[in-house]
Amino acid sequence: MFDQYDDARRAVQDLEASGVPHRDISIVANNARGAHKADAVASEAGEDAGKGAGIGAAVGGVGGLLAGLGLLAIPGLGPVVAAGWLAATAVGAVGGAAIGGAAGGLIGALTHAGVPEEDAHVYAEGVRRGGSLVTAKVEEDLVPTARRILNDDRSVDLTSRRAAYRNEGWNGFDAAAPEYSADEIEAEQERYRRL
């Protein structure tokens, strides 16, 4: 999880540069502020994802994962830009596919991929509050490299963020909760920049 989209974008680029195929990387980033635009390729990827197809397959060979960002809406998160296997699974879960995890959507996709449900709730809440989530499926020999990239000093410490959310009275991601506005996201981002 990254608070800043640029940090998530750099993590995706670093993963690709380290040899992780872009089809095995996913990014889901809040777009309530409308900062991220989709191009023609991305729009096609988003349409394919809505049909349950893999976004990564739709944009394969186009110059990396980030070239295939699609605009999507995921319940509880609102508008996001997304690409990769996780986004396709989340959209499939929203569309009624059988995915594990009671909440469906992003939480269902994460738990289906093996992320503990408690962590999946924090990740979904982080995206809801303006963050960007990068995930990767990697071969065993690339695990240390991927962990180093995804856990560097730009990323969010999940334990600390969970504690901060709980200190506010948060108990878990609620897909029925109102989406954060652009102003609320900016205030949230500013608060975590100061921590």
Side-chain angles (χ1 to χ4, degrees):
M1 173 70 72
F2 298 88
D3 283 329
Q4 302 301 315
Y5 174 78
D6 286 342
D7 293 333
R9 180 182 50 77
R10 280 192 295 266
V12 167
Q13 291 169 334
D14 291 349
L15 286 166
E16 289 177 330
S18 73
V20 179
H22 65 263
R23 71 177 176 273
D24 294 336
I25 305 169
S26 290
I27 185 169
V28 177
N30 189 294
N31 198 33
R33 294 176 281 182
H36 314 296
K37 306 295 180 209
D39 58 19
V41 172
S43 296
E44 291 172 19
E47 289 171 16
D48 284 346
K51 296 174 189 168
I55 293 176
V59 299
V62 185
L65 178 76
L66 295 172
L69 284 175
L71 297 172
L72 304 170
I74 297 177
L77 300 179
V80 298
V81 289
W85 63 271
L86 180 64
T89 304
V91 170
V94 171
I99 299 293
L106 186 57
I107 292 174
L110 287 166
T111 57
H112 182 70
V115 174
E117 189 167 346
E118 183 180 33
D119 292 349
H121 277 267
V122 179
Y123 289 134
E125 186 68 18
V127 172
R128 178 177 175 261
R129 295 182 185 210
S132 300
L133 179 63
V134 177
T135 59
K137 295 181 180 182
V138 298
E139 296 294 327
E140 194 65 37
D141 62 322
L142 287 176
V143 168
T145 301
R147 280 198 176 132
R148 180 183 45 75
I149 291 167
L150 294 175
N151 293 321
D152 73 4
D153 60 350
R154 301 172 295 188
S155 67
V156 169
D157 177 87
L158 191 66
T159 303
S160 297
R161 190 56 56 92
R162 177 184 294 112
Y165 291 165
R166 288 203 170 136
N167 284 339
E168 300 169 356
W170 177 86
N171 291 314
F173 177 76
D174 179 1
E179 298 167 7
Y180 270 48
S181 70
D183 290 340
E184 289 170 317
I185 287 173
E186 187 58 40
E188 184 83 4
Q189 298 285 310
E190 181 59 33
R191 182 168 59 127
Y192 287 113
R193 274 192 286 270
R194 285 186 260 138
L195 291 178

Short mmCIF file of all heavy atoms in Angstrom, two decimals, residues 121-168:
data_model
loop_
_atom_site.label_atom_id
_atom_site.label_comp_id
_atom_site.label_asym_id
_atom_site.label_seq_id
_atom_site.Cartn_x
_atom_site.Cartn_y
_atom_site.Cartn_z
N HIS A 121 -8.99 -5.97 4.59
CA HIS A 121 -9.84 -4.85 5.01
C HIS A 121 -9.03 -3.57 5.11
O HIS A 121 -9.50 -2.50 4.70
CB HIS A 121 -10.52 -5.16 6.35
CG HIS A 121 -11.75 -5.98 6.21
ND1 HIS A 121 -13.01 -5.43 6.11
CD2 HIS A 121 -11.92 -7.33 6.13
CE1 HIS A 121 -13.90 -6.39 5.99
NE2 HIS A 121 -13.27 -7.55 6.00
N VAL A 122 -7.82 -3.65 5.64
CA VAL A 122 -6.98 -2.46 5.76
C VAL A 122 -6.57 -1.97 4.38
O VAL A 122 -6.61 -0.76 4.10
CB VAL A 122 -5.73 -2.74 6.64
CG1 VAL A 122 -4.84 -1.49 6.73
CG2 VAL A 122 -6.14 -3.18 8.03
N TYR A 123 -6.20 -2.88 3.49
CA TYR A 123 -5.84 -2.47 2.13
C TYR A 123 -7.01 -1.79 1.42
O TYR A 123 -6.84 -0.74 0.78
CB TYR A 123 -5.37 -3.67 1.31
CG TYR A 123 -4.02 -4.22 1.72
CD1 TYR A 123 -3.85 -5.60 1.89
CD2 TYR A 123 -2.93 -3.39 1.93
CE1 TYR A 123 -2.62 -6.12 2.25
CE2 TYR A 123 -1.70 -3.91 2.31
CZ TYR A 123 -1.55 -5.27 2.46
OH TYR A 123 -0.33 -5.78 2.82
N ALA A 124 -8.20 -2.38 1.51
CA ALA A 124 -9.37 -1.79 0.86
C ALA A 124 -9.68 -0.41 1.46
O ALA A 124 -9.98 0.54 0.72
CB ALA A 124 -10.58 -2.71 1.00
N GLU A 125 -9.58 -0.29 2.77
CA GLU A 125 -9.82 1.01 3.41
C GLU A 125 -8.77 2.02 2.97
O GLU A 125 -9.08 3.20 2.76
CB GLU A 125 -9.83 0.87 4.93
CG GLU A 125 -10.22 2.14 5.66
CD GLU A 125 -11.67 2.55 5.46
OE1 GLU A 125 -12.51 1.72 5.03
OE2 GLU A 125 -11.98 3.73 5.72
N GLY A 126 -7.53 1.57 2.83
CA GLY A 126 -6.47 2.46 2.37
C GLY A 126 -6.74 3.00 0.98
O GLY A 126 -6.54 4.19 0.71
N VAL A 127 -7.22 2.16 0.08
CA VAL A 127 -7.57 2.62 -1.27
C VAL A 127 -8.77 3.56 -1.18
O VAL A 127 -8.79 4.61 -1.83
CB VAL A 127 -7.85 1.43 -2.22
CG1 VAL A 127 -8.40 1.92 -3.56
CG2 VAL A 127 -6.58 0.61 -2.43
N ARG A 128 -9.75 3.22 -0.38
CA ARG A 128 -10.92 4.07 -0.20
C ARG A 128 -10.51 5.48 0.25
O ARG A 128 -11.10 6.47 -0.17
CB ARG A 128 -11.85 3.45 0.85
CG ARG A 128 -13.09 4.26 1.15
CD ARG A 128 -13.98 3.49 2.15
NE ARG A 128 -15.09 4.29 2.55
CZ ARG A 128 -15.14 4.98 3.69
NH1 ARG A 128 -14.15 4.94 4.55
NH2 ARG A 128 -16.19 5.69 3.98
N ARG A 129 -9.47 5.55 1.08
CA ARG A 129 -9.02 6.84 1.63
C ARG A 129 -7.96 7.52 0.76
O ARG A 129 -7.32 8.45 1.20
CB ARG A 129 -8.49 6.64 3.04
CG ARG A 129 -9.56 6.20 4.03
CD ARG A 129 -8.99 6.07 5.41
NE ARG A 129 -9.96 5.53 6.36
CZ ARG A 129 -9.97 5.82 7.65
NH1 ARG A 129 -9.06 6.64 8.15
NH2 ARG A 129 -10.86 5.29 8.43
N GLY A 130 -7.80 7.04 -0.45
CA GLY A 130 -6.92 7.74 -1.39
C GLY A 130 -5.63 7.05 -1.74
O GLY A 130 -4.84 7.57 -2.51
N GLY A 131 -5.39 5.88 -1.18
CA GLY A 131 -4.14 5.18 -1.42
C GLY A 131 -4.12 4.37 -2.71
O GLY A 131 -5.09 4.32 -3.46
N SER A 132 -2.99 3.73 -2.93
CA SER A 132 -2.77 2.88 -4.10
C SER A 132 -2.19 1.56 -3.62
O SER A 132 -1.25 1.53 -2.85
CB SER A 132 -1.78 3.54 -5.07
OG SER A 132 -2.26 4.79 -5.51
N LEU A 133 -2.77 0.48 -4.12
CA LEU A 133 -2.34 -0.86 -3.74
C LEU A 133 -1.65 -1.53 -4.91
O LEU A 133 -2.20 -1.58 -6.01
CB LEU A 133 -3.56 -1.69 -3.31
CG LEU A 133 -3.28 -3.13 -2.91
CD1 LEU A 133 -2.38 -3.20 -1.68
CD2 LEU A 133 -4.60 -3.86 -2.65
N VAL A 134 -0.44 -2.00 -4.67
CA VAL A 134 0.31 -2.75 -5.68
C VAL A 134 0.50 -4.16 -5.16
O VAL A 134 0.88 -4.37 -4.01
CB VAL A 134 1.70 -2.10 -5.94
CG1 VAL A 134 2.51 -2.93 -6.94
CG2 VAL A 134 1.55 -0.67 -6.42
N THR A 135 0.19 -5.14 -6.00
CA THR A 135 0.37 -6.55 -5.65
C THR A 135 1.13 -7.23 -6.78
O THR A 135 1.10 -6.77 -7.92
CB THR A 135 -0.97 -7.27 -5.43
OG1 THR A 135 -1.74 -7.17 -6.63
CG2 THR A 135 -1.74 -6.66 -4.28
N ALA A 136 1.79 -8.32 -6.44
CA ALA A 136 2.53 -9.07 -7.46
C ALA A 136 2.50 -10.55 -7.13
O ALA A 136 2.61 -10.93 -5.97
CB ALA A 136 3.97 -8.58 -7.54
N LYS A 137 2.32 -11.35 -8.16
CA LYS A 137 2.50 -12.80 -8.06
C LYS A 137 3.89 -13.05 -8.62
O LYS A 137 4.16 -12.72 -9.77
CB LYS A 137 1.46 -13.53 -8.92
CG LYS A 137 0.04 -13.36 -8.48
CD LYS A 137 -0.87 -14.14 -9.41
CE LYS A 137 -2.31 -14.03 -9.03
NZ LYS A 137 -3.18 -14.82 -9.91
N VAL A 138 4.78 -13.62 -7.81
CA VAL A 138 6.16 -13.78 -8.26
C VAL A 138 6.65 -15.21 -8.06
O VAL A 138 6.18 -15.92 -7.17
CB VAL A 138 7.11 -12.79 -7.55
CG1 VAL A 138 6.73 -11.35 -7.85
CG2 VAL A 138 7.14 -13.02 -6.06
N GLU A 139 7.60 -15.58 -8.90
CA GLU A 139 8.27 -16.87 -8.75
C GLU A 139 9.11 -16.81 -7.48
O GLU A 139 9.55 -15.75 -7.04
CB GLU A 139 9.16 -17.15 -9.97
CG GLU A 139 8.40 -17.28 -11.27
CD GLU A 139 7.50 -18.49 -11.32
OE1 GLU A 139 7.85 -19.52 -10.71
OE2 GLU A 139 6.44 -18.40 -11.95
N GLU A 140 9.36 -17.97 -6.90
CA GLU A 140 10.07 -18.08 -5.62
C GLU A 140 11.40 -17.30 -5.62
O GLU A 140 11.73 -16.63 -4.64
CB GLU A 140 10.31 -19.55 -5.28
CG GLU A 140 10.73 -19.78 -3.85
CD GLU A 140 9.66 -19.42 -2.84
OE1 GLU A 140 8.46 -19.63 -3.09
OE2 GLU A 140 10.04 -18.91 -1.77
N ASP A 141 12.14 -17.35 -6.72
CA ASP A 141 13.45 -16.68 -6.75
C ASP A 141 13.35 -15.16 -6.74
O ASP A 141 14.31 -14.47 -6.40
CB ASP A 141 14.28 -17.16 -7.94
CG ASP A 141 13.64 -16.85 -9.28
OD1 ASP A 141 12.40 -16.95 -9.41
OD2 ASP A 141 14.39 -16.51 -10.22
N LEU A 142 12.18 -14.61 -7.08
CA LEU A 142 12.00 -13.16 -7.08
C LEU A 142 11.32 -12.63 -5.81
O LEU A 142 11.15 -11.43 -5.65
CB LEU A 142 11.19 -12.72 -8.30
CG LEU A 142 11.92 -12.76 -9.64
CD1 LEU A 142 10.97 -12.41 -10.78
CD2 LEU A 142 13.11 -11.82 -9.63
N VAL A 143 10.93 -13.53 -4.90
CA VAL A 143 10.23 -13.10 -3.68
C VAL A 143 11.04 -12.07 -2.88
O VAL A 143 10.49 -11.02 -2.50
CB VAL A 143 9.82 -14.31 -2.81
CG1 VAL A 143 9.37 -13.88 -1.43
CG2 VAL A 143 8.73 -15.11 -3.51
N PRO A 144 12.32 -12.30 -2.59
CA PRO A 144 13.06 -11.29 -1.81
C PRO A 144 13.10 -9.92 -2.50
O PRO A 144 12.95 -8.89 -1.83
CB PRO A 144 14.47 -11.88 -1.67
CG PRO A 144 14.30 -13.35 -1.89
CD PRO A 144 13.16 -13.48 -2.86
N THR A 145 13.29 -9.91 -3.80
CA THR A 145 13.34 -8.65 -4.54
C THR A 145 11.99 -7.95 -4.50
O THR A 145 11.91 -6.74 -4.25
CB THR A 145 13.76 -8.91 -6.01
OG1 THR A 145 15.04 -9.53 -6.00
CG2 THR A 145 13.81 -7.62 -6.81
N ALA A 146 10.91 -8.70 -4.73
CA ALA A 146 9.57 -8.11 -4.72
C ALA A 146 9.24 -7.56 -3.33
O ALA A 146 8.69 -6.46 -3.21
CB ALA A 146 8.54 -9.14 -5.15
N ARG A 147 9.58 -8.30 -2.29
CA ARG A 147 9.32 -7.82 -0.92
C ARG A 147 10.08 -6.53 -0.64
O ARG A 147 9.55 -5.61 -0.03
CB ARG A 147 9.70 -8.88 0.10
CG ARG A 147 8.66 -9.94 0.24
CD ARG A 147 8.82 -10.73 1.52
NE ARG A 147 7.70 -11.65 1.63
CZ ARG A 147 7.83 -12.93 1.91
NH1 ARG A 147 9.02 -13.44 2.14
NH2 ARG A 147 6.78 -13.70 1.97
N ARG A 148 11.34 -6.48 -1.07
CA ARG A 148 12.14 -5.26 -0.86
C ARG A 148 11.49 -4.08 -1.57
O ARG A 148 11.36 -2.99 -1.00
CB ARG A 148 13.57 -5.48 -1.37
CG ARG A 148 14.47 -4.26 -1.20
CD ARG A 148 15.85 -4.47 -1.79
NE ARG A 148 15.89 -5.07 -3.11
CZ ARG A 148 15.60 -4.44 -4.25
NH1 ARG A 148 15.22 -3.19 -4.23
NH2 ARG A 148 15.67 -5.07 -5.41
N ILE A 149 11.04 -4.27 -2.79
CA ILE A 149 10.41 -3.19 -3.56
C ILE A 149 9.10 -2.75 -2.90
O ILE A 149 8.84 -1.55 -2.75
CB ILE A 149 10.17 -3.63 -5.02
CG1 ILE A 149 11.52 -3.78 -5.74
CG2 ILE A 149 9.26 -2.65 -5.75
CD1 ILE A 149 11.44 -4.50 -7.07
N LEU A 150 8.27 -3.71 -2.53
CA LEU A 150 6.95 -3.39 -2.00
C LEU A 150 6.95 -2.94 -0.55
O LEU A 150 5.97 -2.37 -0.07
CB LEU A 150 6.00 -4.58 -2.18
CG LEU A 150 5.69 -4.92 -3.64
CD1 LEU A 150 4.85 -6.19 -3.72
CD2 LEU A 150 5.00 -3.76 -4.34
N ASN A 151 8.04 -3.20 0.16
CA ASN A 151 8.12 -2.81 1.57
C ASN A 151 9.17 -1.74 1.83
O ASN A 151 9.64 -1.60 2.96
CB ASN A 151 8.42 -4.04 2.44
CG ASN A 151 7.27 -5.02 2.45
OD1 ASN A 151 6.12 -4.64 2.47
ND2 ASN A 151 7.59 -6.30 2.40
N ASP A 152 9.50 -0.96 0.82
CA ASP A 152 10.51 0.07 1.04
C ASP A 152 9.93 1.24 1.83
O ASP A 152 8.79 1.20 2.27
CB ASP A 152 11.14 0.51 -0.28
CG ASP A 152 10.23 1.37 -1.14
OD1 ASP A 152 9.12 1.71 -0.70
OD2 ASP A 152 10.64 1.71 -2.26
N ASP A 153 10.72 2.28 2.01
CA ASP A 153 10.31 3.39 2.87
C ASP A 153 9.17 4.23 2.29
O ASP A 153 8.62 5.08 2.97
CB ASP A 153 11.50 4.28 3.21
CG ASP A 153 12.16 4.90 1.99
OD1 ASP A 153 11.83 4.53 0.85
OD2 ASP A 153 13.02 5.77 2.20
N ARG A 154 8.79 3.99 1.04
CA ARG A 154 7.66 4.72 0.46
C ARG A 154 6.33 4.06 0.80
O ARG A 154 5.28 4.67 0.67
CB ARG A 154 7.78 4.77 -1.07
CG ARG A 154 9.05 5.44 -1.58
CD ARG A 154 9.19 5.26 -3.07
NE ARG A 154 9.37 3.84 -3.37
CZ ARG A 154 9.67 3.35 -4.57
NH1 ARG A 154 9.82 4.15 -5.59
NH2 ARG A 154 9.82 2.06 -4.77
N SER A 155 6.37 2.80 1.22
CA SER A 155 5.12 2.07 1.44
C SER A 155 4.57 2.32 2.85
O SER A 155 5.28 2.75 3.75
CB SER A 155 5.35 0.57 1.21
OG SER A 155 6.19 0.03 2.19
N VAL A 156 3.30 2.01 3.01
CA VAL A 156 2.59 2.16 4.27
C VAL A 156 2.90 0.95 5.15
O VAL A 156 2.89 -0.19 4.68
CB VAL A 156 1.07 2.23 4.01
CG1 VAL A 156 0.28 2.13 5.29
CG2 VAL A 156 0.72 3.50 3.24
N ASP A 157 3.17 1.18 6.43
CA ASP A 157 3.32 0.10 7.38
C ASP A 157 1.91 -0.35 7.77
O ASP A 157 1.15 0.41 8.38
CB ASP A 157 4.10 0.57 8.61
CG ASP A 157 4.20 -0.52 9.65
OD1 ASP A 157 5.14 -1.34 9.56
OD2 ASP A 157 3.33 -0.57 10.54
N LEU A 158 1.56 -1.56 7.37
CA LEU A 158 0.19 -2.06 7.54
C LEU A 158 -0.23 -2.10 9.01
O LEU A 158 -1.36 -1.71 9.34
CB LEU A 158 0.06 -3.45 6.90
CG LEU A 158 -1.36 -3.97 6.77
CD1 LEU A 158 -2.17 -3.12 5.81
CD2 LEU A 158 -1.34 -5.41 6.31
N THR A 159 0.64 -2.53 9.88
CA THR A 159 0.31 -2.62 11.30
C THR A 159 0.01 -1.24 11.89
O THR A 159 -0.98 -1.06 12.61
CB THR A 159 1.45 -3.31 12.08
OG1 THR A 159 1.68 -4.60 11.50
CG2 THR A 159 1.12 -3.46 13.55
N SER A 160 0.85 -0.28 11.56
CA SER A 160 0.64 1.09 12.06
C SER A 160 -0.64 1.70 11.50
O SER A 160 -1.39 2.37 12.22
CB SER A 160 1.82 1.99 11.69
OG SER A 160 2.99 1.53 12.30
N ARG A 161 -0.89 1.45 10.21
CA ARG A 161 -2.09 2.02 9.59
C ARG A 161 -3.35 1.39 10.18
O ARG A 161 -4.33 2.08 10.45
CB ARG A 161 -2.03 1.83 8.08
CG ARG A 161 -3.10 2.60 7.30
CD ARG A 161 -3.11 4.11 7.56
NE ARG A 161 -1.86 4.76 7.32
CZ ARG A 161 -1.49 5.31 6.18
NH1 ARG A 161 -2.29 5.27 5.14
NH2 ARG A 161 -0.31 5.90 6.08
N ARG A 162 -3.33 0.08 10.40
CA ARG A 162 -4.48 -0.59 11.03
C ARG A 162 -4.74 0.04 12.40
O ARG A 162 -5.89 0.34 12.74
CB ARG A 162 -4.22 -2.09 11.18
CG ARG A 162 -5.35 -2.83 11.90
CD ARG A 162 -5.05 -4.30 12.12
NE ARG A 162 -4.97 -5.02 10.87
CZ ARG A 162 -3.85 -5.56 10.36
NH1 ARG A 162 -2.71 -5.47 11.02
NH2 ARG A 162 -3.88 -6.20 9.23
N ALA A 163 -3.69 0.25 13.19
CA ALA A 163 -3.84 0.85 14.52
C ALA A 163 -4.40 2.27 14.42
O ALA A 163 -5.27 2.65 15.21
CB ALA A 163 -2.50 0.85 15.25
N ALA A 164 -3.92 3.05 13.46
CA ALA A 164 -4.42 4.41 13.28
C ALA A 164 -5.90 4.40 12.94
O ALA A 164 -6.69 5.19 13.48
CB ALA A 164 -3.62 5.13 12.21
N TYR A 165 -6.30 3.52 12.03
CA TYR A 165 -7.72 3.42 11.67
C TYR A 165 -8.55 3.02 12.88
O TYR A 165 -9.61 3.58 13.13
CB TYR A 165 -7.93 2.40 10.54
CG TYR A 165 -7.40 2.79 9.18
CD1 TYR A 165 -7.27 1.82 8.19
CD2 TYR A 165 -7.02 4.09 8.86
CE1 TYR A 165 -6.80 2.14 6.92
CE2 TYR A 165 -6.55 4.42 7.60
CZ TYR A 165 -6.44 3.44 6.63
OH TYR A 165 -5.97 3.75 5.38
N ARG A 166 -8.07 2.03 13.63
CA ARG A 166 -8.84 1.55 14.80
C ARG A 166 -8.94 2.62 15.88
O ARG A 166 -9.94 2.69 16.59
CB ARG A 166 -8.22 0.27 15.34
CG ARG A 166 -8.50 -0.88 14.39
CD ARG A 166 -8.43 -2.21 15.06
NE ARG A 166 -8.93 -3.23 14.16
CZ ARG A 166 -8.37 -4.40 13.95
NH1 ARG A 166 -7.28 -4.72 14.63
NH2 ARG A 166 -8.88 -5.25 13.11
N ASN A 167 -7.91 3.45 16.01
CA ASN A 167 -7.97 4.56 16.97
C ASN A 167 -9.07 5.54 16.64
O ASN A 167 -9.53 6.29 17.50
CB ASN A 167 -6.63 5.28 17.06
CG ASN A 167 -5.60 4.50 17.84
OD1 ASN A 167 -5.94 3.63 18.64
ND2 ASN A 167 -4.33 4.79 17.61
N GLU A 168 -9.51 5.55 15.37
CA GLU A 168 -10.61 6.43 14.93
C GLU A 168 -11.96 5.74 15.10
O GLU A 168 -12.99 6.31 14.75
CB GLU A 168 -10.44 6.77 13.45
CG GLU A 168 -9.17 7.47 13.11
CD GLU A 168 -8.94 7.53 11.61
OE1 GLU A 168 -9.73 6.95 10.82
OE2 GLU A 168 -7.96 8.16 11.21
#
